Amino acid sequence: MEVKKSDIQKLVKVKKVDSFWNHLVCSFKKDYKIYGEVQKNKIKIWEMSSFTGIFYPVYTFEFNSENDLVKTKDQLNSFARFFQFLFPLSFFFPLLSNAFTDFTIKRFLANIAAFLFLTFACHLLSRKIYRFEKKEQLNSFYKKIGFTVEEKTCDKIDGKSENEWSSSKILTRLFTYPFCLALILFGIFGMIPDGNFFIAIPMLAIVGVYLYSDLTMIFRPNK
């Protein structure tokens, strides 16, 4: 049974254009409705959930001349991509300023390294939230229109399941896990005793959430 354009169009509760401004508004409204942009041979839909927060995917459904679904792809919404870089730059700016205060090579390198890693960790964390949820959300969309995963042909879904034990991911973890441990120790024994709670607490929170989400991705059961 083929998925038709009219089936996907039924999912759309609010018609909006897939734009930076609309995703910004959607992120702050938090009404958890399914938004969509309907074009001639394409429909884009997105839905913010309590789990994804602003890091929700935008799904693009492409159709042929007979309005049969031929391809599905997804990407992180434009506001979330912007926020990936805005948040660490603004929130951890004190680390950059501290790097040049009472300048020493050791202090400079420690603060710059912490800033770069936290920026990288924020990016990885948002990607993990996005990856973790996108398949479940897509399946939920199909179920709402009466289809199951088995009823869809695999060649219509653009994207492969990622191997959490690939060489690139192992190498990444060989770098990030020791650095996370170093940041935890630095935050607890270096920053908190000096009264730098404003930086230490968010830093520890991000590191903790990153480790938790990464371990969840590793040990989650295969469906």
Side-chain angles (χ1 to χ4, degrees), residues 1-3 69 142-143 145-154 156-157:
M1 186 176 180
E2 292 292 336
V3 179
L69 179 65
Y142 279 113
K143 288 178 182 178
I145 57 175
F147 289 84
T148 62
V149 179
E150 290 73 22
E151 289 176 322
K152 302 185 298 296
T153 55
C154 295
K156 293 178 183 176
I157 303 176

Side-chain angles (χ1 to χ4, degrees), residues 47-192:
E47 180 186 26
M48 183 179 180
S49 71
S50 57
F51 178 78
T52 61
I54 68 170
F55 300 108
Y56 56 84
V58 176
Y59 301 93
T60 301
F61 300 87
E62 298 180 3
F63 306 90
N64 59 21
S65 58
E66 297 179 352
N67 287 330
D68 294 325
L69 179 65
V70 293
K71 188 177 183 181
T72 302
K73 58 184 180 180
D74 59 81
Q75 67 174 357
L76 190 64
N77 72 82
S78 54
F79 174 65
R81 294 198 301 270
F82 173 73
F83 190 79
Q84 283 178 327
F85 298 98
L86 175 66
F87 175 78
L89 183 62
S90 58
F91 205 83
F92 295 111
F93 182 77
L95 284 173
L96 293 179
S97 61
N98 285 341
F100 297 95
T101 303
D102 298 327
F103 182 84
T104 64
I105 292 296
K106 183 178 180 181
R107 183 187 185 92
F108 175 80
L109 292 177
N111 281 278
I112 293 298
F115 174 79
L116 291 176
F117 176 78
L118 288 170
T119 301
F120 180 61
C122 287
H123 176 76
L124 286 182
L125 180 60
S126 62
R127 289 291 301 174
K128 284 185 179 297
I129 293 173
Y130 160 73
R131 284 173 46 214
F132 188 82
E133 182 69 8
K134 68 176 184 178
K135 185 177 179 181
E136 294 299 323
Q137 196 174 62
L138 183 61
N139 289 341
S140 174
F141 287 153
Y142 279 113
K143 288 178 182 178
K144 287 179 180 179
I145 57 175
F147 289 84
T148 62
V149 179
E150 290 73 22
E151 289 176 322
K152 302 185 298 296
T153 55
C154 295
D155 60 343
K156 293 178 183 176
I157 303 176
D158 183 24
K160 299 178 181 179
S161 58
E162 298 186 54
N163 180 12
E164 293 297 330
W165 296 103
S166 65
S167 57
S168 61
K169 290 186 178 295
I170 291 174
L171 288 173
T172 299
R173 291 182 178 114
L174 286 175
F175 166 73
T176 56
Y177 279 34
F179 206 95
C180 283
L181 178 60
L183 284 178
I184 291 171
L185 295 175
F186 178 61
I188 294 175
F189 299 107
M191 303 186 76
I192 291 179

Side-chain angles (χ1 to χ4, degrees), residues 21-37:
W21 173 253
N22 283 330
H23 289 300
L24 172 64
V25 173
C26 179
S27 297
F28 283 98
K29 284 181 67 175
K30 297 182 180 180
D31 55 7
Y32 306 115
K33 294 180 180 178
I34 299 179
Y35 289 77
E37 177 183 351

